[in-house]
Amino acid sequence: MSRTTIGVIGGGQLARMMYEPAIKLGIGLRLLAEGPDVGAAQIFKDVMVGDYTDEATVKSFASNCQIITFDHEHVPTWILRGLVAEGKLVRPGPDALQHAQDKLLMRRRLTTSLDAPAPKWQACADAAELRAFGAEIGFPIIAKASRGGYDGHGVWKLDGPADTGIPFEQALTESAGEKVEIIGEEFVDFARELSVIVVRSPSGQAVVYPVSETIQRNGVCRETITPAPGLSDEQAAGITRLGLDIADELQITGVLAVELMQRTDGSVVVNELALRPHNTGHWTIDGAHTSQFENHLRAVLDLPLGDPRARDPWCVMVNILGGSNQDLPSELLHCFARDPKLRVELYGKDVRPGRKVGHVNCYGDDLAEVRARAEHAARYLGGEIREG
Ligand SMILES: Nc1ncnc2c1ncn2[C@@H]1O[C@H](COP(=O)(O)OP(=O)(O)O)[C@@H](O)[C@H]1O
Ligand SMILES: [Mg+2]
């Protein structure tokens, strides 16, 4: 038995969705899960339950794996550096990963090394500095915690000087053992949000998926449309180049998702980076020739990457958000009877209000029709709508 085993740290839906391509590639996956019942722990055969912020736990987990990869970005960098020092393959590595952990570090690096387009930004030590930044560029402004944010937690829109104390009161002072700082950012009154997904292997091969439009509701991704409607070839090429440049500059292994905001004049700015399969890439499972999960594993194994192109003119993904329906599979009968082309992925999570508990993918030639089908199925599965 000498088959390669990849250790995945974090037991959420992203780890869970890596399992299917791992079966096809014949590789073993081992899971370090937060608890015995999390989404991925229901699927993986080889599960260790433990705390990913504890060095001894992570080391003991890694000792039985050839390569380590991630479901999330929260493993403390110093623990990963220890693994690398011992010769373990950590993909993506800590030097790259820290740019997804720390938004301030990311802003500094992309500004100095790449001159990548960004909103105006400034690190602010206290409310007075944030007030001065707001006075300089004009309110409203955005304030962000450098670390530990997710789904809109750790992002504040400040309407005037009186609000500038809020982020300092509400931000945790520490995340994964490291200091949280506050960044002031220009409020971008964007026309829409976009995302581009790049996958890069240690050999330096990279593939880029078509650019998606992403629609957030209350800070949570609700829908993606691929390709982003109305994006010119020139704009798409510029965004593709930007994604490749960032992946190369940070020497990323695996998936890099670049979240972007598009201004009304068509130009884009980078919002943030994720170094793991990303919600805005879930459409690739059913809509692309190779899914982001398979390409992530191929990259981690340093295998040639698969074709990232879309199979159909349009692919729409809609997240199923927790609502009144506690038993999602019980509604599959209705949804599949209504739409034989519907693709559903349920994450096996406890249903809680607003929580991402699954997603649907629909694809086809007519965008309005594809969107309507996806929206209906996601709302039906979540319990938002009922039909007699
Ligand atoms: N500078 C900005 N101007 C306007 N909206 C912003 C800005 N930064 C973030 N946002 C909005 O807040 C959302 C969450 O911010 P983000 O940094 O992506 O945090 P999270 O880690 O929660 O995803 C973004 O998707 C976008 O809608
Ligand atoms: Mg985000």
Side-chain angles (χ1 to χ4, degrees), residues 45-355:
K45 192 161 154 249
D46 185 0
V47 182
M48 172 175 165
V49 175
D51 177 2
Y52 58 79
T53 64
D54 177 61
E55 186 183 22
T57 302
V58 174
K59 274 195 171 167
S60 133
F61 171 73
S63 65
N64 291 318
C65 310
Q66 279 80 42
I67 311 174
I68 295 296
T69 193
F70 308 95
D71 163 272
H72 59 68
E73 291 121 351
H74 308 312
V75 183
T77 318
W78 65 269
I79 295 182
L80 298 177
R81 290 197 200 289
L83 294 183
V84 173
E86 287 173 6
K88 192 64 69 184
L89 297 175
V90 178
R91 296 180 163 167
D95 289 341
L97 199 64
Q98 57 183 352
H99 298 92
Q101 295 176 331
D102 189 319
K103 290 173 180 173
L104 181 56
L105 197 72
M106 178 277 291
R107 285 271 179 249
R108 287 197 176 115
R109 178 74 178 266
L110 295 195
T111 306
T112 52
S113 310
L114 282 177
D115 203 18
K120 293 188 191 98
W121 63 273
Q122 187 183 298
C124 296
D126 53 28
E129 281 193 25
L130 196 54
R131 257 196 315 279
F133 175 72
E136 186 191 323
I137 68 157
F139 284 95
I141 57 169
I142 294 286
K144 286 188 186 184
S146 58
R147 310 180 65 92
Y150 66 98
D151 287 352
H153 300 279
V155 176
W156 300 267
K157 184 179 173 200
L158 310 178
D159 290 317
D163 293 343
T164 50
I166 296 171
F168 295 93
E169 287 151 23
Q170 293 188 358
L172 300 167
T173 51
E174 232 182 68
S175 164
E178 289 177 86
K179 193 171 162 253
V180 175
E181 293 169 277
I182 297 295
I183 314 160
E185 269 187 20
E186 165 196 353
F187 171 72
V188 180
D189 195 11
F190 53 76
R192 59 175 174 175
E193 292 184 83
L194 302 171
S195 150
V196 65
I197 294 192
V198 181
V199 192
R200 184 180 178 281
S201 68
S203 302
Q205 190 199 356
V207 294
V208 187
Y209 288 94
V211 178
S212 300
E213 175 171 343
T214 75
I215 298 158
Q216 268 62 239
R217 199 188 286 168
N218 302 324
V220 180
C221 174
R222 169 70 184 170
E223 180 181 5
T224 71
I225 304 172
T226 312
L231 201 67
S232 70
D233 289 350
E234 200 186 340
Q235 287 169 334
I239 292 168
T240 299
R241 183 76 258 161
L242 176 63
L244 285 167
D245 285 347
I246 295 172
D248 188 56
E249 172 65 25
L250 302 182
Q251 295 284 294
I252 280 159
T253 295
V255 170
L256 162 71
V258 184
E259 296 180 11
L260 302 150
M261 296 179 275
Q262 186 176 38
R263 299 186 194 265
T264 45
D265 68 2
S267 64
V268 296
V269 290
V270 173
N271 175 37
E272 66 163 343
L273 309 180
L275 271 75
R276 49 170 169 75
H278 194 248
N279 197 167
T280 64
H282 291 354
W283 70 271
T284 63
I285 297 172
D286 304 300
H289 287 280
T290 318
S291 81
Q292 63 164 347
F293 295 97
E294 174 162 347
N295 264 337
H296 183 74
L297 294 181
R298 289 203 204 187
V300 162
L301 294 161
D302 206 8
L303 290 170
L305 303 174
D307 185 350
R309 284 175 298 173
R311 292 173 183 273
D312 282 81
W314 298 105
C315 188
V316 172
M317 188 268 346
V318 180
N319 277 333
I320 305 166
L321 301 178
S324 58
N325 179 20
Q326 289 291 326
D327 179 12
L328 273 69
S330 69
E331 304 304 340
L332 290 173
L333 186 144
H334 169 91
C335 293
F336 287 152
R338 193 176 191 272
D339 184 353
K341 284 172 78 182
L342 177 71
R343 307 292 300 168
V344 177
E345 182 114 21
L346 302 178
Y347 303 156
K349 287 157 84 171
D350 290 336
V351 177
R352 288 203 291 268
R355 191 180 199 200

